[in-house]
Amino acid sequence: MTVHWFTDPAANGPSVITPTFTEVELQALVEILKFAHDPANAEMELLLCMDAAGTCEHGRSTGRKAAPFTPEIESAIAAGGGVRLWHNHPSQDSLSHHDWLCAGMSDMVEVLALNAKGSIFVGRIVKWDDRLHGLCEWLPRLAADLEMHVDGLAKKRRLDAIHLVAMANLTMHMLNTALAKTTPVRYAYALKNADQMTIAAAGALSLIADGIAFAEQAIQEWLDKHAPASDAEPL
């Protein structure tokens, strides 16, 4: 089996990717997007669990705002051969703290979130540190602070209204970029045109750089506060 993790280009930091897909992966993307575009599924997630080579599906589930693991998915993860957990995000944002905790189950698990625009956000943790669990649990609080911080800057710097709301849906993208700069997690992404336009407009006002810097500082302060004993290996 040929494994091709989408997160490999992000080994040295957050990375833009141009992924190539197998036929099975393309079918999965189409199905997840079709599900996400159905108004009846506005708050629903569809989760597909595929092998690491993108050649077969091990299992699937649906759920409101979160799709649970089925026995088939749990068995596929436990087998250790490598799985990809692909799902849509009703929030339209990047990987959540729960996604990172799922990725932390094994270095052979890669989690991919897809928003309704078709942007892809993917993460994997190949080196676990016990502090990551607490850090991931704390991320929602940081995300709220980051969203408020960037929103204030955006209004002060007069970001066009058309991009103001869209910026809120990229809060976790900025946070995950900072996370990949300060910890060993691998974070990669492929943004569609609509998200690229928002990033470009916000970037021109330094909102993206300032948002990432805000998140980086907060994460580093958290890590310093929870520093391991001197004989432990740091993140």
Side-chain angles (χ1 to χ4, degrees):
M1 179 178 71
T2 302
V3 175
H4 58 119
W5 301 112
F6 289 174
T7 47
D8 280 350
N12 297 313
S15 178
V16 178
I17 55 172
T18 306
T20 57
F21 302 102
T22 66
E23 187 61 35
V24 171
E25 290 169 342
L26 283 173
Q27 291 175 0
L29 287 174
V30 169
E31 184 171 1
I32 293 172
L33 276 175
K34 182 178 180 181
F35 180 91
H37 290 161
D38 186 339
N41 299 326
E43 295 188 338
M44 299 293 290
E45 281 190 6
L46 168 64
L47 169 66
L48 302 184
C49 175
M50 296 177 292
D51 71 324
T55 59
C56 69
E57 180 184 317
H58 291 303
R60 62 174 56 199
S61 72
T62 59
R64 182 176 178 274
K65 295 187 177 180
F69 285 176
T70 64
E72 292 79 12
I73 294 175
E74 291 176 345
S75 294
I77 294 172
V83 299
R84 296 177 174 202
L85 302 175
W86 287 20
H87 63 300
N88 64 296
H89 261 187
S91 69
Q92 307 306 320
D93 209 333
S94 180
L95 300 171
S96 67
H97 77 289
H98 182 263
D99 290 331
W100 284 115
L101 290 172
C102 288
M105 295 175 64
S106 167
D107 61 355
M108 296 297 283
V109 173
E110 188 176 76
V111 182
L112 182 148
L114 189 71
N115 68 18
K117 299 169 186 174
S119 290
I120 290 170
F121 310 96
V122 59
R124 183 166 164 246
I125 303 177
V126 298
K127 177 185 176 184
W128 181 258
D129 181 291
D130 287 342
R131 286 183 297 167
L132 283 174
H133 190 278
L135 178 61
C136 289
E137 292 283 5
W138 171 72
L139 289 183
R141 179 176 176 179
L142 174 56
D145 290 344
L146 175 59
E147 182 176 349
M148 184 178 299
H149 175 73
V150 174
D151 183 68
L153 292 179
K155 290 174 179 176
K156 183 177 180 179
R157 298 175 189 177
R158 299 184 183 278
L159 178 67
D160 289 346
I162 192 172
H163 296 300
L164 198 57
V165 174
M167 271 294 296
N169 292 334
L170 291 170
T171 298
M172 287 305 299
H173 171 59
M174 288 185 284
L175 191 157
N176 289 332
T177 300
L179 188 67
K181 288 185 172 186
T182 50
T183 75
V185 308
R186 295 186 179 184
Y187 176 61
Y189 53 94
L191 304 180
K192 287 299 184 180
N193 289 344
D195 285 330
Q196 288 179 346
M197 290 174 62
T198 297
I199 290 290
L205 299 175
S206 298
L207 294 172
I208 302 300
D210 288 349
I212 293 171
F214 176 90
E216 278 190 78
Q217 180 178 345
I219 291 170
Q220 191 58 59
E221 289 176 354
W222 191 98
L223 292 172
D224 291 343
K225 182 178 179 181
H226 298 83
S230 59
D231 60 344
E233 184 179 358
L235 277 172

